[in-house]
Amino acid sequence: MAYSVIGNHYIPFSDRPTKQQLEQLQIHKLNQMLTFLLQYNRFYQKKVRGDQTAFAVKSGFKTVTLYHQEGIG
Amino acid sequence: MRSKADLKRLPFTTKKELVEDQKQFPPYGQNHTFSVDKYIRYHQTSGTTGKPIKILDTEESWNWWAECWVKVCRSAGITEQDIVFLAFHFGPFIGFWAAYEGAKKAGALVFPGGGQTSEQRLNNIIENKATVLMCTPSYALHLAEVAKQRNIDIKNSSIKTIITAGEPGGSIPSVRQQIESLWGAKLFDHVGMTEMGAYGYSCSEQNGLHVNEEEFILEVINPETGEPVQEGERGELVLTNLGRLGYPLVRYRTGDMVIYSEKACPCGNPYHFLPGGIIGRADDMVVIRGINIFPQSIEAIVREFKEIDEFRIVYYTQNHMDQIKVQVEGEGIDTAQLEKRLRERIGLRIDVEQVSQGTLPRFEMKSRRVVDQRER
């Protein structure tokens, strides 16, 4: 059986994530990261909050369902 | 952020900003999220394009690096049965430090090949029956050259897999084929940046690079307009790392030029595929007589000539005109044929100059094969 390497595990190709699932995961991680950075990272606090394109990061964002329990850390 | 499209609302981050930040807030700048006592690793960029940037990693961020490298190892088929030899000096450049951690995490036996001559490294590879070699593509070629001089048979050695990093050569077909032929091994390429992370790797198809989309968000933009490029177009790679809270980068303009494609790789890996890998650096491109020149395009042609041991690209001025020549080293090189191929494929007359054996420098880490002598 052919395998793909996802999340450091060999996973059958039939279980591979879709593009949409990958994007969900990315957005989940990005929101977590941005929330944290805007609290603690001075470089991005200045860069993002001081920028005209500043955005509001909402707290309490939804946690997406991960596509493969084992596969994603 | 509800979708990747929302990412566009954030500003880009540039290397210039990171350099300025460190200059303004020495020694480490303000992009280190935590206080220094929370960090456990020091690295610096190679300084190829200016003053090196100093970067620290926390325990968590360093583990993230290692996990990213585990994927590179898995894609190359490395298991606990392997003995991985790292031909690397283990200085402050992050390169193979992270590879060392990743290969260890993948269960392999790792052999740090720092502080050794090329001959000592070759002997250690043979004596310890190493199965995987990790080094820059330039150094894989140099080791092969030394092996030839010392009559060491590397083609029939225990090395079955080579993972290259630090330079783009591993994704240039002629360079890859030359290394594979000299070593009798299969080559996998890896791409990463000290400031960003270990973000991509090649697969069994060997015709490009996959970006690890679990840990990085990829965009490809027109470097002039900042707008996304279309299918099949060349653009600058912009990345956001998602797991390095100690040194995060959001929409970082890498300077790496790639071809954007939505097409899936036949290997089945769902991560975004960059056909041909990194095709050049935005800051490496020069315009000679109206033609955009990437050193990698020249290297791809030069490496088709197996007789060439080493080469160098020289930009210079003659009669107030920018010119380009390629200096080559090796026995029995058909310089006329090389000139012809360069003219046909680059679209420019490029002189080829044969120089004596041992004239041109060799490199263990990032090679510097371009000399710019143009009058400004």
Side-chain angles (χ1 to χ4, degrees):
Chain A
M1 186 189 288
Y3 285 82
S4 180
V5 187
I6 300 298
N8 305 336
H9 297 263
Y10 288 103
I11 293 174
F13 278 0
S14 54
D15 290 352
R16 68 183 183 256
T18 62
K19 281 280 170 198
Q20 195 185 11
Q21 285 169 323
L22 269 176
E23 186 173 329
Q24 275 186 316
L25 176 71
Q26 288 177 330
I27 296 304
H28 169 66
K29 286 187 173 185
L30 180 67
N31 279 324
Q32 273 186 324
M33 184 175 85
L34 290 173
T35 307
F36 187 81
L37 294 190
L38 292 180
Q39 280 182 313
Y40 302 108
N41 183 293
R42 294 181 70 189
F43 180 81
Y44 278 104
Q45 277 173 345
K46 279 194 296 187
K47 190 171 167 58
V48 176
R49 287 194 179 142
D51 195 285
Q52 290 306 304
T53 58
F55 63 98
V57 175
K58 289 179 186 172
S59 57
F61 50 82
K62 269 187 177 176
T63 303
V64 295
T65 306
L66 303 185
Y67 57 81
H68 193 290
Q69 208 68 29
E70 253 185 23
I72 300 172
Chain B
M1 297 281 147
R2 289 189 176 80
S3 74
K4 266 167 79 173
D6 290 339
L7 197 59
K8 280 184 74 175
R9 294 158 62 196
L10 294 172
F12 289 120
T13 305
T14 64
K15 188 166 188 171
K16 195 177 163 199
E17 285 176 290
L18 300 180
V19 171
E20 283 299 318
D21 174 52
Q22 290 209 339
K23 207 182 217 176
Q24 204 179 346
F25 302 99
Y28 303 121
Q30 292 193 320
N31 193 30
H32 286 92
T33 312
F34 306 101
S35 55
V36 176
D37 60 309
K38 299 288 186 288
Y39 289 85
I40 57 147
R41 299 280 316 191
Y42 171 90
H43 321 284
Q44 61 185 45
T45 57
S46 60
T48 314
T49 54
K51 196 180 177 199
I53 301 175
K54 299 174 178 68
I55 294 171
L56 308 176
D57 271 302
T58 61
E59 179 94 49
E60 186 191 27
S61 296
W62 190 237
N63 279 335
W64 173 81
W65 263 96
E67 291 294 343
C68 290
W69 255 99
V70 172
K71 282 193 177 65
V72 181
C73 293
R74 293 285 186 236
S75 187
I78 294 176
T79 69
E80 60 275 9
Q81 304 300 319
D82 283 300
I83 299 175
V84 177
F85 188 93
L86 295 111
F88 174 58
H89 56 58
F90 287 91
F93 179 60
I94 203 167
F96 293 97
W97 278 108
Y100 179 93
E101 298 291 349
K104 204 171 70 174
K105 236 180 218 294
L109 172 61
V110 286
F111 193 125
Q116 296 170 34
T117 63
S118 296
E119 192 170 357
Q120 287 168 331
R121 282 172 172 157
L122 285 165
N123 288 333
N124 275 321
I125 287 168
I126 304 288
E127 279 176 30
N128 293 284
K129 297 186 169 50
T131 55
V132 180
L133 170 67
M134 291 189 186
C135 61
T136 62
S138 291
Y139 197 66
L141 289 167
H142 177 61
L143 275 179
E145 196 184 354
V146 174
K148 189 178 160 193
Q149 288 160 2
R150 307 285 194 278
N151 289 318
I152 298 171
D153 181 9
I154 52 166
K155 193 159 189 164
N156 294 302
S157 73
S158 46
I159 295 287
K160 297 289 168 246
T161 303
I162 297 174
I163 299 181
T164 58
E167 294 172 344
S171 286
I172 300 172
S174 56
V175 178
R176 189 188 75 232
Q177 284 154 14
Q178 194 176 2
I179 294 171
E180 289 185 326
S181 161
L182 290 163
W183 282 89
K186 185 158 181 165
L187 188 149
F188 293 85
D189 195 20
H190 157 69
V191 61
M193 302 177 90
T194 310
E195 60 270 45
M196 174 53 64
Y199 68 81
Y201 55 85
S202 66
C203 60
S204 53
E205 295 293 316
Q206 294 182 297
N207 57 356
L209 293 163
H210 289 277
V211 173
N212 175 359
E213 288 188 286
E214 281 179 61
E215 303 301 341
F216 301 88
I217 299 178
L218 155 151
E219 298 167 81
V220 183
I221 60 159
N222 178 324
E224 304 295 324
T225 65
E227 290 300 313
V229 298
Q230 302 302 309
E231 175 75 28
E233 284 182 357
R234 180 186 285 191
E236 181 181 352
L237 183 64
V238 172
L239 291 171
T240 298
N241 57 16
L242 298 170
R244 198 185 192 188
L245 288 179
Y247 195 82
L249 285 176
V250 178
R251 302 194 82 202
Y252 184 62
R253 292 187 62 158
T254 65
D256 287 337
M257 299 298 288
V258 298
I259 293 167
Y260 181 76
S261 176
E262 283 289 339
K263 288 178 188 146
C265 176
C267 81
N269 186 327
Y271 293 164
H272 196 103
F273 179 64
L274 299 171
I278 308 301
I279 57 165
R281 292 270 317 157
D283 44 16
D284 276 352
M285 192 192 85
V286 295
V287 181
I288 305 273
R289 303 205 291 277
I291 292 178
N292 296 348
I293 307 277
F294 284 101
Q296 274 172 264
S297 313
I298 294 176
E299 178 169 12
I301 299 166
V302 168
R303 294 293 188 196
E304 289 171 6
F305 291 75
K306 309 290 177 235
E307 306 81 18
I308 296 175
D309 294 330
E310 193 51 79
F311 76 99
R312 183 162 65 185
I313 299 164
V314 183
Y315 305 129
Y316 62 104
T317 306
Q318 194 175 47
N319 300 329
H320 309 292
M321 291 277 286
D322 287 344
Q323 305 285 351
I324 178 169
K325 70 178 172 186
V326 177
Q327 296 174 315
V328 292
E329 221 183 80
E331 284 175 21
I333 303 165
D334 186 344
T335 54
Q337 181 60 24
L338 176 54
E339 279 180 355
K340 183 170 177 275
R341 229 176 268 185
L342 286 166
R343 189 171 58 247
E344 284 170 358
R345 306 245 292 268
I346 306 287
L348 192 71
R349 186 180 56 76
I350 298 174
D351 292 333
V352 174
E353 180 188 351
Q354 171 103 39
V355 297
S356 318
Q357 198 69 18
T359 309
L360 302 175
R362 267 54 170 178
F363 305 92
E364 182 182 336
M365 283 311 298
K366 281 179 188 288
S367 59
R368 290 176 187 184
R369 293 195 175 92
V370 176
V371 179
D372 194 344
Q373 300 172 342
R374 287 175 296 170
E375 292 165 8
R376 302 284 178 186

